[in-house]
Amino acid sequence: MTNIAICAPATPITREQAAACQELVAAEFPSHRLTFHDQCFEQAGHFAGDDLRRLTALLECSNDPAFDVVWFAKGGYGSNRIAEAAVAQMNQAARSKTYVGFSDCGYLLAALYRHRIGQSVHGHMPVSARSEGGKEAIRRVLRWLGGDTSGLEPSLDGATPAAAFNLITLAMISGTPLMPDLTGHVVMVEEVAEHLYAIDRLFFHLAATLPRVAGLRLGAITDVPENYVEFGQSEEAIAQYWCARAGIPYLGRAQIGHYSANRVVPFGLASPPART
């Protein structure tokens, strides 16, 4: 049995969304057990509870030896506000866990990876369980947690370490105490709901701040708003332009992003999660 704790380090989910995820697991993954922290359903303005409440829930899930996995319920913005405090207070039990999420929760994945706490994993989150596409993306995570590697990003070769981030999240953590050492990694980035000029601006920043990475892969750039004037370059042309300027090998596309095809990317070297 894989015991999975779910908390919301950023924004809340509804009980209906949680119920949909529970139903999926009960029907198809009987070897997994989900426990939703009550904090997932609380709201304080934009957030799923104030900073202290979100931090406390995360630590309760992470530091409890009864759980094997901490799965972040949803992104949205807010996990950066508690990430430093969280890693400073995690105990030995937290160090043996797998942590799964993406988007805004990349702040936490980065901090955990920097401090070598558990296994950080880019993967879909429970909030998506009410749509058919979202269910399939969640299935990839649940299968991987059970040892099935079929849902991994296809370009992972098991020999080169990798990490995957939302583009703006990676740009924001660069130069902060959350930034892990990505030297020698294949870095994968994706983005949602940003103008193409904003994508270009984010790459400008990253091109100057990324360490000597093994290369960059571009995931899905979805829901791009229409600007009053066309930018003139596609998202891939933007990535190639800034990679060339920075001397970063551009390795092509990755199947990650805010869409149903989102694949699993364990940080470091890809492997099924260890169970003790």
Side-chain angles (χ1 to χ4, degrees):
M1 177 69 70
T2 303
N3 290 316
I4 304 171
I6 299 174
C7 60
T11 59
I13 62 171
T14 66
R15 293 192 181 275
E16 291 75 19
Q17 289 165 333
C21 196
Q22 287 279 26
E23 290 169 9
L24 174 64
V25 170
E28 301 181 28
F29 298 91
S31 63
H32 295 335
R33 183 172 64 191
L34 303 185
T35 301
F36 282 84
H37 197 291
D38 285 342
Q39 171 268 331
C40 291
F41 314 112
E42 297 178 15
Q43 189 157 7
H46 170 88
F47 304 107
D50 64 22
D51 288 356
L52 180 59
R53 177 60 169 151
R54 300 196 321 282
L55 172 63
T56 300
L58 173 59
L59 290 172
E60 287 173 355
C61 293
S62 301
N63 289 342
D64 188 339
F67 296 117
D68 306 298
V69 176
V70 176
W71 199 4
F72 305 133
K74 183 185 176 185
Y77 178 69
S79 68
N80 60 310
R81 294 167 63 116
I82 63 172
E84 283 186 79
V87 295
Q89 298 176 64
M90 287 183 176
N91 64 14
Q92 194 59 37
R95 294 183 174 274
S96 64
K97 287 182 172 54
T98 301
Y99 298 86
V100 185
F102 80 118
S103 193
D104 175 86
C105 290
Y107 290 109
L108 274 171
L109 297 178
L112 291 161
Y113 193 54
R114 175 186 175 118
H115 291 274
R116 300 181 181 179
I117 297 173
Q119 169 72 77
S120 292
V121 181
H122 162 103
H124 236 68
M125 297 178 284
V127 66
S128 300
R130 297 183 74 185
S131 72
E132 287 307 312
K135 286 178 182 176
E136 188 53 38
I138 287 171
R139 288 185 184 106
R140 292 188 195 101
V141 172
L142 294 167
R143 290 179 190 130
W144 182 79
L145 289 172
D148 180 347
T149 60
S150 62
L152 289 174
E153 156 58 33
S155 66
L156 296 172
D157 61 12
T160 307
F165 293 97
N166 176 253
L167 182 58
I168 195 168
T169 300
L170 181 57
M172 291 298 100
I173 64 173
S174 182
T176 75
L178 303 183
M179 183 69 175
D181 183 4
L182 297 176
T183 302
H185 287 60
V186 172
V187 177
M188 306 180 194
V189 293
E190 53 83 21
E191 191 52 87
V192 60
E194 293 286 350
H195 289 91
L196 287 177
Y197 69 78
I199 301 297
D200 190 79
R201 182 167 56 205
L202 291 167
F203 269 112
F204 157 74
H205 176 68
L206 281 177
T209 56
L210 276 179
R212 295 183 177 180
V213 298
L216 182 135
R217 286 190 176 273
L218 181 66
I221 306 296
T222 53
D223 298 336
V224 177
E226 185 176 345
N227 197 22
Y228 73 95
V229 61
E230 203 171 313
F231 185 69
Q233 282 185 305
S234 69
E235 63 267 27
E236 186 163 29
I238 292 168
Q240 291 170 327
Y241 172 83
W242 287 107
C243 282
R245 279 191 55 161
I248 297 171
Y250 178 73
L251 303 177
R253 303 305 294 257
Q255 294 181 37
I256 63 166
H258 285 67
Y259 68 155
S260 61
N262 189 28
R263 295 298 189 101
V264 175
V265 181
F267 284 36
L269 296 175
S271 63
R275 290 284 171 262
T276 57

